[in-house]
Amino acid sequence: MNVLEVQNLKKEFNGTEIIKDISFEVKEGETLVILGPSGTGKSTILRCINNLEKVDGGNIIVNGSSMIKEYKNSKPIYNNKEILNKINLEIGMVFQDFNLFPHLTIKENIIKPLKYVLKKGKEESEEIAKKALEKMGLIDKIDSYPCELSGGQKQRAGIARSLAINPRIICMDEPTSSLDPELVGEVLKAIKQLASERKTMVIVTHEIKFAEEVADSAIFIADGKIVEEGKPEDIIRNPKEQRTKEFLKRYI
Ligand code: ADP
């Protein structure tokens, strides 16, 4: 079953088409990695999936619910709030720069959406937060503030926060790119653990070896289009297109 379908996605900024007709799907329990040079629209795709950006064309279907209801005069009309809220709850997002609230403890960061969005009680929220932090090896940091954590710990807390809402799919936007090199490994290990538990994920990353190890499928994007897609080991070890070869040369 497809948890996510991105169909003929188009997105412009100030009249320039950044995403040009991109389609892919992610099956339940699978991890898709999105590879490609900087500035080619990888983050924009995740932001459209998370409804942080509005699409200009195509559709996004999450767990069978469609973001776009119809097209009028070639303009997308989004579905009603109820459906969009439902879709939002199916998607967790892990950001490059963690996006933790600095004035809240790690526990408070995690329970905030549980209490205010999912309307869960205090005790249940705390229980969920504890479980998510245990999973990420951070239970001893439950009452710490983000500024007291290393970058790797902050990112693992970010992952714990997204896990806590129990989404059907987690999107990660370059989850290790703002970390010092010695901290990258612990975050990749945590993500690998989620993949081995068959959490459905879409990950934008420049960590090529990790992509090969963790993903079930990969797409390589350049200039807002899919240049190559398939099994990560095929794309990474045996790229067919010149753009892919040039990109991989820089990263391997
Ligand atoms: P990537 O993730 O592949 O590095 P992005 O999706 O961040 O690429 O950006 C793709 C292009 O879209 C870039 O040229 C970027 O400057 C532009 N862009 C992204 N977000 C916006 C925005 N909100 N307004 C204007 N341009 C944007």
Side-chain angles (χ1 to χ4, degrees):
M1 186 212 160
N2 290 331
V3 177
L4 174 69
E5 288 175 37
V6 172
Q7 300 174 337
N8 308 104
L9 183 66
K10 292 190 179 72
K11 175 70 189 165
E12 315 182 341
F13 288 116
N14 312 319
T16 305
E17 206 172 47
I18 298 293
I19 306 292
K20 304 164 187 162
D21 201 8
I22 281 191
S23 300
F24 59 87
E25 45 199 47
V26 186
K27 290 198 170 56
E28 175 128 55
E30 292 200 344
T31 294
L32 170 88
V33 287
I34 304 179
L35 306 171
S38 291
T40 49
K42 302 180 302 297
S43 290
T44 303
I45 295 171
L46 294 191
R47 292 175 63 78
C48 288
I49 294 170
N50 279 276
N51 201 12
L52 296 169
E53 294 286 358
K54 297 287 178 218
V55 310
D56 293 307
N59 198 358
I60 294 169
I61 298 168
V62 180
N63 207 21
S65 300
S66 182
M67 274 197 189
I68 307 299
K69 186 171 75 177
E70 57 184 331
Y71 273 81
K72 271 193 187 154
N73 304 322
S74 312
K75 293 263 176 264
I77 311 292
Y78 272 71
N79 247 319
N80 62 43
K81 249 189 171 169
E82 207 176 288
I83 295 179
L84 294 180
N85 284 344
K86 180 171 165 261
I87 291 176
N88 245 354
L89 292 175
E90 312 261 31
I91 306 168
M93 182 76 175
V94 172
F95 299 90
Q96 194 172 332
D97 50 5
F98 328 124
N99 273 25
L100 296 168
F101 292 109
H103 60 291
L104 299 179
T105 65
I106 298 305
K107 179 172 80 181
E108 289 162 350
N109 263 283
I110 296 176
I111 66 178
K112 204 175 169 70
L114 297 175
K115 276 166 75 178
Y116 298 106
V117 183
L118 295 182
K119 312 284 180 209
K120 291 191 185 293
K122 186 168 179 282
E123 263 179 37
E124 187 186 359
S125 300
E126 291 199 0
E127 210 41 52
I128 293 171
K130 271 188 200 156
K131 278 206 183 116
L133 286 170
E134 262 161 17
K135 203 176 185 67
M136 288 294 115
L138 279 179
I139 195 68
D140 56 327
K141 302 291 178 195
I142 189 161
D143 293 317
S144 301
Y145 285 87
C147 65
E148 298 170 308
L149 268 57
S150 71
Q153 289 169 333
K154 277 186 229 178
Q155 190 55 293
R156 284 187 284 137
I159 296 172
R161 179 184 52 188
S162 78
L163 277 178
I165 61 165
N166 196 23
R168 291 296 294 260
I169 182 161
I170 299 185
C171 296
M172 301 194 182
D173 190 6
E174 297 194 35
T176 59
S177 63
S178 60
L179 300 178
D180 291 335
E182 70 272 21
L183 302 176
V184 169
E186 66 184 76
V187 173
L188 295 184
K189 192 173 155 213
I191 301 171
K192 271 188 206 166
Q193 188 195 327
L194 298 182
S196 70
E197 293 168 8
R198 309 308 290 166
K199 192 86 204 164
T200 312
M201 292 188 280
V202 177
I203 307 174
V204 171
T205 184
H206 289 300
E207 297 287 339
I208 302 299
K209 189 166 162 275
F210 161 77
E212 190 180 341
E213 283 170 9
V214 84
D216 299 285
S217 56
I219 54 180
F220 175 79
I221 290 179
D223 300 329
K225 283 189 180 158
I226 295 182
V227 174
E228 223 168 308
E229 61 189 310
K231 292 215 167 299
E233 58 270 28
D234 292 341
I235 294 182
I236 291 165
R237 288 169 193 243
N238 243 332
K240 292 192 178 58
E241 304 295 329
Q242 195 54 29
R243 290 297 305 263
T244 326
K245 288 178 189 169
E246 281 165 18
F247 169 81
L248 288 168
K249 234 190 259 168
R250 268 180 285 137
Y251 284 96
I252 296 183

